[in-house]
Amino acid sequence: MREHFRFYRHRWFKVWIAMAALSAALIAMTEAVGNRAVMPAAFFYGAAAGPVGLLVAIHDRTRIGASVPGLTLVGMFLFGGGVALLLGGYFDALLIPDKHGPSILQVGWIEESAKCVPLLLVALTGRYLTKAAGVALGLSCATGFAIMESMSYAWKSVDDTGAVNAGMVLFMRGLATPFSHLVWTGLICAVAFGAWQARGRIVITFSVVGAFAMAAVLHSLNDGLLTLDIPGPARLLFLVVAAESYWLFHRATRDLTTAPVLDPAPSPA
């Protein structure tokens, strides 16, 4: 029990605090000497701190990072996340004209669908149809999406209120993102790739549809609670949504503690 309170000893905490501190230092330097050339780096470290910290924690628990080649994970992060952001950004603008109106409740269905597109394209190749691989790919895609989305919010905040407030936006999103984008997409992938692994092919089952619907609803509730014109105390319900989101993801991936490790490449003769 005592070990649970020593979170500061874990790698995920060290990664998170180091990246957040570097982001804060870069922003402070910008404010001190006016060198705005480092702002992209400051925003990247701030936006990535929470998601990367969560990735480290999940890998240390499950070792799923070894279930897919590293280059494939990097590709899913860069291009899968980028494609998801492209599709999500387009349909968000098309279908959600008012971010503070009821149409925001569509956001989960739009963005979770967008993140599933690159994952489904990879799955259709017939490769990486294991649960461990699917979750690893899903987390990589969601991480790319989340980091780029957080950076866009930071840039908007710089234009409106300055670099320090942009840093606060990044810090708050760094705390929230590990309990949102990553676990929503991770939940979908855990259920979908688990079903596909069992059957050896892509099939649409009630459990897959249910997992997607659950993630989309939680996503929409999260954004709605934070943006709709509702009483202040009601906004705190987003903490309940975050806790429920993480609990469902953790429950769906608790059997991955013995995730298979890729065989090392054969040594040359």
Side-chain angles (χ1 to χ4, degrees), residues 5 8 15 18 29 37 54 105 112 118 137-138 156 161 179 187 213 224:
F5 295 98
Y8 56 87
V15 168
M29 186 269 283
L54 180 65
L105 297 177
E112 293 309 317
L137 289 167
K156 184 178 185 299
T161 57
F179 302 96
L187 171 63

Side-chain angles (χ1 to χ4, degrees), residues 54-155:
L54 180 65
L55 292 182
V56 172
I58 293 171
H59 176 71
D60 286 348
R61 174 171 66 90
T62 65
R63 302 297 173 186
I64 59 171
S67 63
V68 180
L71 191 60
T72 302
L73 291 177
V74 171
M76 183 56 74
F77 167 79
L78 291 174
F79 300 105
V83 168
L85 189 65
L86 173 67
L87 295 173
Y90 174 77
F91 286 104
D92 280 350
L94 192 66
L95 301 174
I96 308 178
D98 180 8
K99 301 292 185 183
H100 301 283
S103 61
I104 191 63
L105 297 177
Q106 302 176 81
V107 68
W109 303 91
I110 295 170
E111 294 186 357
E112 293 309 317
S113 296
K115 286 182 284 183
C116 284
V117 168
L119 296 167
L120 186 58
L121 290 176
V122 170
L124 286 171
T125 67
R127 304 179 66 187
Y128 313 122
L129 284 184
T130 66
K131 182 174 181 177
V135 174
L137 289 167
L139 291 174
S140 295
C141 179
T143 297
F145 182 99
I147 290 174
M148 288 183 277
E149 184 181 59
S150 292
M151 291 178 70
S152 71
Y153 280 111
W155 278 115

Side-chain angles (χ1 to χ4, degrees), residues 210-224:
F212 176 83
M214 178 63 70
V217 168
L218 288 169
H219 188 158
S220 293
L221 281 174
N222 178 83
D223 286 31

Side-chain angles (χ1 to χ4, degrees), residues 171-240:
F171 179 74
M172 295 306 297
R173 286 187 63 84
L175 291 176
T177 302
F179 302 96
S180 56
H181 278 295
L182 274 69
V183 293
W184 296 327
T185 306
L187 171 63
I188 295 170
C189 290
V191 175
F193 281 82
W196 300 343
Q197 177 180 344
R199 292 165 174 77
R201 68 184 191 281
I202 296 176
V203 292
I204 304 301
T205 65
F206 286 115
S207 61
V208 173
V209 173
F212 176 83
M214 178 63 70
V217 168
L218 288 169
H219 188 158
S220 293
L221 281 174
N222 178 83
D223 286 31
L225 287 168
L226 292 175
T227 60
L228 289 174
D229 184 16
I230 59 177
R235 295 190 187 280
L236 294 178
L237 288 173
F238 91 91
L239 295 173
V240 177

